[in-house]
Amino acid sequence: MLQVNKRSSEINRDFAEADGSPPQTLTSYVEIVRRQFPTIIAIVSACLLLALLYLFTAAPQFTSSASMVIDTRKVQLFQQQSVLGDIAVDSATVETQVEILKSENISLAVIRDLHLIDDPEFTGSGGGLLGAMIGSLTGLFSSGRTSSEFELTRKSLQRFEHSRTVKRLGLTYVMEIGFTSRDPAKSARIANAIADAYIVDQLEAKYQATRRASVWLQDRIKELRTQASTAQRAVVDFKQVNNIVDTGGRLMNEQQLAEVNSQLVMAHAGTAEAKARMDRINDILKQEIPDANVADALKNDTIVKLRGQYVDMASKESIWAMKYGSDHLAAVNLRRQMAEIKKNIIDELRRIQESYKSDYDIAQTREEAIKSSLANVVSESQLTNQAQIQLRELESTAQSYQAMYDNFLQRYMESVQQQSFPITEARVISAATTPLVKSSPKSMVILGAALLGGLMLSFGAAMARELTDKVFRTTAQVEEVLGASCIAILPTLDEAAASFPVPGKLGKKSDNPQPNLLRYVVNVPLSRFAEAVRSLKVAVDLNSIVRENRVLAVTSTLPSEGKSTLSSNLAQLMAHSGARVILVDADLRNPSLSRALAPHAETGLVDVIAQKVQLEDALIVDPETKLSILSAGKTSKLLHTNEILASQPMRDLVARLRSKYDYVVLDMPPMAPVVDVRVTSSFVDSYVFVIEWGKTKMDVVKHNLRGAPEIQDKLLGVVLNKADTKLLARYESYHGRYYYQKYYARYGYVE
């Protein structure tokens, strides 16, 4: 505060621009919270009050939940497959069932079963004070019109779906059904009703699907029965037309063919046997004496007997021929008997030969007859085989229709059984019970959310206020934005300062209380305001070590920032300390200082510059502080005040005042409305720039100072005026009430 300002403010400005906005640190955020603490408290309190108001006015809600599982195990009452087929239960199926639970079909079923359209909770305005107010407003606009049943149903459905929750528990097959109501018993009843309605809906859906399948199966069975009968009749008719007869599962011609073929084989064998016998008998006839083996084979008793006699006689004849000679009569008789027996054997063999020949002829005839029958049967089989191709097609068609008919008939019987025993995969594993504790509003959660939301909202509002608060409030802001020193922070002065008496002829105008503020440092020398002005004087004196600093110009950016009050009090302070000081009102456009301190002055600065009066005749001296005051004079008709201030007589006057007084304090006009200040840089040693605390925008001050480099080069420093010490304590605690009350009070300073 008491440092000597650098000569080159351009360097300070470049430094400020290069520095930029400092990064936000934890300390800076803490400072923001401290500065915006009332705003934060107000917003947080408002949020908590709103939360409490909601908690007091909102109707309590109770939530009851029921759990339902989709069981993947099938309950088999009958050992057959379902008509509709078994669909594997997966995640998509469970999610589908969740959506079915949320469907309007289930909701409307519950509303209809529990008569919820007659419940005021579903068709009324809702619970709580807010709901009653909304209901009253709705009643006013409805003009007494009675809602239809459809409107009541849709309104109940909307409330019902808003209060119902259905969700899947994790990756399980369990679904949780919840319902929220003002009545705890009602919430449990409705939650259970939703589960029951879902199960009934599933059973009804399966029943309807099974019934529709049964009806379709009946129609299909009739059609298949007709088709099967037609196909079987076609097979029978075709067999009749084509003389196809089957016995024992085989066609008659096939059986005949097999039998005739077997007979032919047997006949051929018989013929061969007969021929063999006939050939053998022919061979025997060629022998002189038939072989005994043949006789044995023939099994003929006559031949066997004759053969025995022949052998006995042959033995005797041999014996007698050897004994009596071959010509012996006995031997001759024996030989004659033997010849007779031989002739008889041959005759018997011839008879047998004729018999064998007859058998052979019969066998040949029989074989030829069988061959002829076989040829006929083969011819008939060939014709039958061609017809069998078509017969097989007809039989295959008939079998297919019969199989389809049997299958559909079985399915129909299964569907009839399923209609009698409906089964669903869903079952309730935990029924909803009456809740004992309300589910909403949750007081601690709402209060916590309100507190957290209030803190976030208040911090956002605080940051917004900080970002939009583009005014000067601290010395750091002045040094950072303008690159100039903040010499002093002057507290705001209230109207109570006007109660102090003004000596002499100053302030005779009774309707203007401002003169007392213009000499506040004299009336209240042990005030914070007076001490801040003293710090300004010390800065002026320290700056005098570097360069001459006797002509001081006090200016501001905008009117009503307190530059005239500061000029007067600074001059009063310097004069009260014993220095020779003159206060010049150089604000020729709006000489408010002259109107306050010398309302009846006839001459002033303008007259002295125009050499109409002498300087001594235009001065007014404060009898208490010996302060010389040069008013502006008559300025109502002046158009080019900047030319007057830039004139050579003005520079000569300032040079004369410089030699005559220790301090020359010029009350200059503000920089934004007029350009008068810029023309005074040739004879002013230092400028004191007054900024109204918390009001003057930073960009306005920066624009005016950068547009006047000649003033910025001679800028002694900045004074923040009209500071609210209570608010200032939140921005800079060492400038606030704590600093002045806790430390300055020990040295006798007052408010």
Side-chain angles (χ1 to χ4, degrees):
M1 179 182 293
L2 300 180
Q3 66 181 1
V4 179
N5 189 41
K6 296 179 182 180
R7 284 296 302 245
S8 178
S9 59
E10 184 68 23
I11 297 176
N12 294 336
R13 186 172 72 245
D14 293 341
F15 174 79
E17 291 177 353
D19 188 30
S21 298
Q24 295 291 339
T25 61
L26 179 60
T27 305
S28 62
Y29 286 118
V30 172
E31 290 296 326
I32 291 174
V33 172
R34 185 172 59 84
R35 289 194 294 268
Q36 302 294 334
F37 189 72
T39 301
I40 294 175
I41 291 296
I43 295 177
V44 172
S45 300
C47 291
L48 290 176
L49 287 175
L50 289 176
L52 290 174
L53 180 62
Y54 172 74
L55 291 176
F56 281 118
T57 58
Q61 300 289 329
F62 296 88
T63 300
S64 183
S65 299
S67 298
M68 178 181 294
V69 65
I70 298 179
D71 199 347
T72 57
R73 298 172 298 176
K74 301 294 183 182
V75 180
Q76 295 291 345
L77 294 181
F78 303 98
Q79 296 298 325
Q80 72 270 349
Q81 188 178 1
S82 173
V83 176
L84 300 179
D86 294 335
I87 302 176
V89 179
D90 53 7
S91 296
T93 304
V94 178
E95 294 296 335
T96 302
Q97 300 307 312
V98 170
E99 295 301 322
I100 293 176
L101 272 168
K102 295 179 180 179
S103 64
E104 288 190 0
N105 189 23
I106 303 297
S107 301
L108 291 174
V110 176
I111 292 173
R112 181 177 57 256
D113 294 340
L114 300 182
H115 305 286
L116 297 183
I117 60 174
D118 300 328
D119 193 336
E121 182 178 351
F122 293 90
T123 57
S125 58
L129 180 61
L130 183 60
M133 295 174 60
I134 295 175
S136 300
L137 293 176
T138 306
L140 291 176
F141 287 105
S142 62
S143 300
R145 184 178 64 87
T146 303
S147 300
S148 62
E149 183 178 356
F150 176 76
E151 293 175 343
L152 292 176
T153 302
R154 299 310 298 181
K155 187 174 183 180
S156 301
L157 179 62
Q158 183 179 3
R159 294 280 181 85
F160 184 89
E161 292 179 346
H162 181 266
S163 301
R164 178 210 57 208
T165 58
V166 179
K167 63 181 179 180
R168 179 186 182 186
L169 297 181
L171 299 178
T172 65
Y173 294 152
V174 179
M175 298 178 293
E176 185 180 72
I177 305 170
F179 195 84
T180 303
S181 174
R182 297 199 297 267
D183 185 358
K186 185 191 299 182
S187 64
R189 186 168 64 254
I190 294 178
N192 290 325
I194 294 174
D196 295 339
Y198 169 76
I199 294 176
V200 171
D201 180 77
Q202 292 296 300
L203 293 175
E204 182 66 21
K206 288 192 174 183
Y207 174 78
Q208 293 296 332
T210 306
R211 189 178 61 83
R212 287 192 295 269
S214 300
V215 173
W216 181 81
L217 285 173
Q218 286 180 345
D219 297 337
R220 185 60 176 158
I221 286 171
K222 292 179 181 179
E223 181 181 355
L224 289 175
R225 183 167 56 243
T226 302
Q227 292 175 348
S229 300
T230 303
Q232 291 175 358
R233 190 177 297 107
V235 171
V236 173
D237 294 341
F238 185 81
K239 286 182 178 181
Q240 291 179 354
V241 171
N242 293 274
N243 296 320
I244 298 175
V245 180
D246 55 351
T247 57
R250 298 178 60 188
L251 296 177
M252 180 174 287
N253 57 351
E254 293 179 354
Q255 187 175 2
Q256 289 178 352
L257 181 62
E259 291 177 355
V260 171
N261 190 31
S262 176
Q263 291 176 4
L264 178 62
V265 172
M266 294 176 63
H268 183 71
T271 303
E273 183 181 358
K275 185 176 183 302
R277 285 198 303 267
M278 187 182 68
D279 293 340
R280 183 61 178 163
I281 199 65
N282 291 332
D283 292 338
I284 292 173
L285 289 176
K286 292 178 181 179
Q287 295 178 2
E288 182 180 359
I289 298 297
D291 192 358
N293 293 331
V294 174
D296 293 338
L298 293 176
K299 301 296 182 181
N300 193 298
D301 295 338
T302 301
I303 294 176
V304 171
K305 186 183 290 185
L306 291 175
R307 173 70 178 171
Q309 292 176 0
Y310 183 83
V311 171
D312 290 339
M313 287 182 179
S315 175
K316 290 178 179 182
E317 189 271 335
S318 176
I319 294 173
W320 286 8
M322 289 178 63
K323 185 176 180 181
Y324 297 108
S326 59
D327 295 330
H328 189 272
L329 181 62
V332 171
N333 291 330
L334 288 172
R335 282 196 294 272
R336 188 174 59 253
Q337 291 178 357
M338 289 173 59
E340 185 67 23
I341 291 172
K342 181 177 180 181
K343 179 177 178 298
N344 292 333
I345 290 174
I346 292 173
D347 291 339
E348 186 65 21
L349 289 175
R350 290 182 184 277
R351 187 184 60 81
I352 293 173
Q353 180 184 21
E354 291 297 331
S355 177
Y356 282 174
K357 183 178 180 182
S358 176
D359 291 340
Y360 175 69
D361 293 337
I362 292 172
Q364 282 184 332
T365 303
R366 182 171 176 270
E367 183 179 358
E368 292 297 331
I370 292 175
K371 286 183 179 180
S372 177
S373 296
L374 179 62
N376 294 331
V377 172
V378 169
S379 177
E380 292 178 359
S381 293
Q382 290 177 351
L383 296 176
T384 304
N385 289 337
Q386 294 179 358
Q388 281 182 345
I389 297 175
Q390 187 175 358
L391 177 62
R392 290 191 185 95
E393 293 180 356
L394 295 175
E395 288 178 344
S396 177
T397 302
Q399 291 175 358
S400 298
Y401 281 123
Q402 185 64 36
M404 291 175 63
Y405 171 75
D406 295 338
N407 188 21
F408 273 77
L409 185 61
Q410 181 182 1
R411 291 293 182 176
Y412 173 72
M413 297 303 298
E414 293 174 0
S415 66
V416 172
Q417 292 174 352
Q418 290 179 2
Q419 288 182 23
S420 302
F421 298 95
I423 301 174
T424 178
E425 292 79 10
R427 60 186 177 89
V428 177
I429 59 175
S430 178
T433 57
T434 303
L436 301 178
V437 181
K438 67 176 183 179
S439 59
S440 66
K442 296 181 179 179
S443 302
M444 298 306 297
V445 174
I446 291 178
L447 289 177
L451 179 60
L452 179 61
L455 290 175
M456 295 176 63
L457 182 61
S458 61
F459 189 74
M463 292 297 297
R465 290 191 65 182
E466 287 287 328
L467 295 176
T468 57
D469 189 25
K470 300 299 183 180
V471 294
F472 292 98
R473 296 184 185 273
T474 64
T475 57
Q477 289 176 332
V478 173
E479 295 172 358
E480 178 186 349
V481 176
L482 302 180
S485 299
C486 183
I487 303 174
I489 298 180
L490 302 179
T492 184
L493 300 177
D494 54 14
E495 295 297 330
S499 62
F500 297 104
V502 181
K505 63 179 181 178
L506 295 178
K508 296 297 183 179
K509 192 174 182 181
S510 60
D511 58 349
N512 190 357
Q514 296 300 323
N516 292 321
L517 298 179
L518 298 177
R519 58 194 320 274
Y520 190 81
V521 294
V522 178
N523 296 331
V524 190
L526 297 179
S527 63
R528 289 174 293 174
F529 183 86
E531 190 62 25
V533 177
R534 289 190 186 94
S535 66
L536 175 58
K537 179 181 180 300
V538 172
V540 172
D541 294 339
L542 289 177
N543 200 284
S544 300
I545 300 175
V546 180
R547 58 187 175 90
E548 186 178 9
N549 198 22
R550 301 176 66 183
V551 179
L552 302 174
V554 181
T555 185
S556 63
T557 305
L558 301 173
S560 302
E561 292 191 76
K563 64 176 182 57
S564 299
T565 303
L566 177 60
S567 302
S568 175
N569 281 279
L570 178 60
Q572 293 280 2
L573 179 66
M574 291 176 174
H576 196 262
S577 62
R580 294 174 299 163
V581 183
I582 182 172
L583 176 61
V584 181
D585 186 2
D587 189 357
L588 302 182
R589 298 285 186 95
N590 183 24
S592 59
L593 187 61
S594 299
R595 290 195 298 268
L597 295 179
H600 302 291
E602 298 294 335
T603 59
L605 177 62
V606 177
D607 300 296
V608 174
I609 293 175
Q611 297 180 356
K612 294 181 180 180
V613 296
Q614 294 297 322
L615 176 62
E616 292 76 8
D617 297 333
L619 293 177
I620 299 174
V621 179
D622 189 338
E624 182 178 357
T625 60
K626 306 304 179 183
L627 173 65
S628 298
I629 301 173
L630 179 59
S631 64
K634 301 295 183 181
T635 60
S636 59
K637 297 182 180 181
L638 295 178
L639 299 178
H640 305 287
T641 54
N642 59 317
E643 299 295 337
I644 297 175
L645 294 177
S647 63
Q648 186 60 39
M650 180 63 186
R651 290 195 291 271
D652 295 341
L653 176 60
V654 173
R656 181 181 175 187
L657 296 176
R658 185 192 298 272
S659 62
K660 187 176 181 180
Y661 293 95
D662 297 328
Y663 298 98
V664 179
V665 179
L666 302 177
D667 182 29
M668 303 301 296
M671 295 181 60
V674 294
V675 298
D676 294 359
V677 181
R678 300 183 60 179
V679 301
T680 62
S681 60
S682 60
F683 54 80
V684 173
D685 296 331
S686 297
Y687 289 93
V688 177
F689 203 84
V690 178
I691 298 176
E692 185 174 357
W693 186 89
K695 290 292 182 67
T696 307
K697 299 294 183 180
M698 293 180 180
D699 53 352
V700 177
V701 178
K702 288 169 60 177
H703 174 74
N704 282 274
L705 286 180
R706 289 185 179 181
E710 63 279 359
I711 296 177
Q712 193 173 13
D713 291 340
K714 293 185 177 183
L715 187 62
L716 177 65
V718 175
V719 175
L720 292 178
N721 191 24
K722 301 182 182 180
D724 188 344
T725 54
K726 294 181 180 179
L727 296 178
L728 183 62
R730 297 202 300 268
Y731 290 88
E732 290 180 329
S733 59
Y734 52 86
H735 284 309
R737 296 186 60 185
Y738 177 81
Y739 183 82
Y740 287 106
Q741 290 181 351
K742 301 298 182 181
Y743 294 98
Y744 278 13
R746 298 180 183 179
Y747 293 91
Y749 291 100
V750 296
E751 289 290 333

